[in-house]
């Protein structure tokens, strides 16, 4: 298998895992939206199947990517969850 094929297979598997988690817990997207709105966070739901959000920090408009199905904040392997994200967005 070529490197590109392996990479594509890994990306597809990760996307499938996110979709399965969101499907099992559809309230995670609604909960994230409620939290963003309660805290005045600018957000955009990019993919409803994976619970993928784009959110912008108030102080400098830095983009954060969040996956509601798993609580993953892209680029932050040691930090997870909506409440951690809210703290970073409000900073």
């Amino acid at each position: 298998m070529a490197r590109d094929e392996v990479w594509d297979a890994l990306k597809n598997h990760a996307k499938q895992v996110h979709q399965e988690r969101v499907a099992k817990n559809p309230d995670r997207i609604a909960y994230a939206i409620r939290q963003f709105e309660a805290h005045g966070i600018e957000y955009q739901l990019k993919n409803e199947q994976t619970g993928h959000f784009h959110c912008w920090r108030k102080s400098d408009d830095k983009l954060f990517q969040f996956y509601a199905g798993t609580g993953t904040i892209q680029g932050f392997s040691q930090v997870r969850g909506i409440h951690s994200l809210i703290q970073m967005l409000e900073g």
Side-chain angles (χ1 to χ4, degrees):
M1 202 180 259
R3 184 183 334 175
D4 290 340
E5 291 172 330
V6 171
W7 179 247
D8 286 343
L10 288 171
K11 286 192 316 187
N12 289 336
H13 176 72
K15 186 174 182 178
Q16 181 181 358
V17 168
H18 285 293
Q19 289 174 343
E20 288 171 0
R21 287 183 179 163
V22 170
K24 289 178 185 174
N25 299 294
D27 58 324
R28 289 183 182 196
I29 292 174
Y31 182 75
I33 290 171
R34 285 193 307 272
Q35 292 299 309
F36 295 145
E37 291 179 352
H39 291 274
I41 303 296
E42 185 180 344
Y43 71 92
Q44 189 175 50
L45 179 58
K46 299 300 282 185
N47 187 321
E48 196 170 324
Q49 291 180 321
T50 61
H52 179 197
F53 285 90
H54 282 184
C55 311
W56 291 269
R57 186 163 45 204
K58 295 176 183 181
S59 62
D60 61 3
D61 261 356
K62 180 179 178 180
L63 171 67
F64 288 79
Q65 294 187 58
F66 177 68
Y67 293 86
T70 60
T72 302
I73 305 166
Q74 188 170 359
F76 296 88
S77 60
Q78 300 299 318
V79 181
R80 298 176 62 90
I82 186 75
H83 297 290
S84 295
L85 175 65
I86 295 291
Q87 287 179 341
M88 291 190 299
L89 291 167
E90 290 185 323

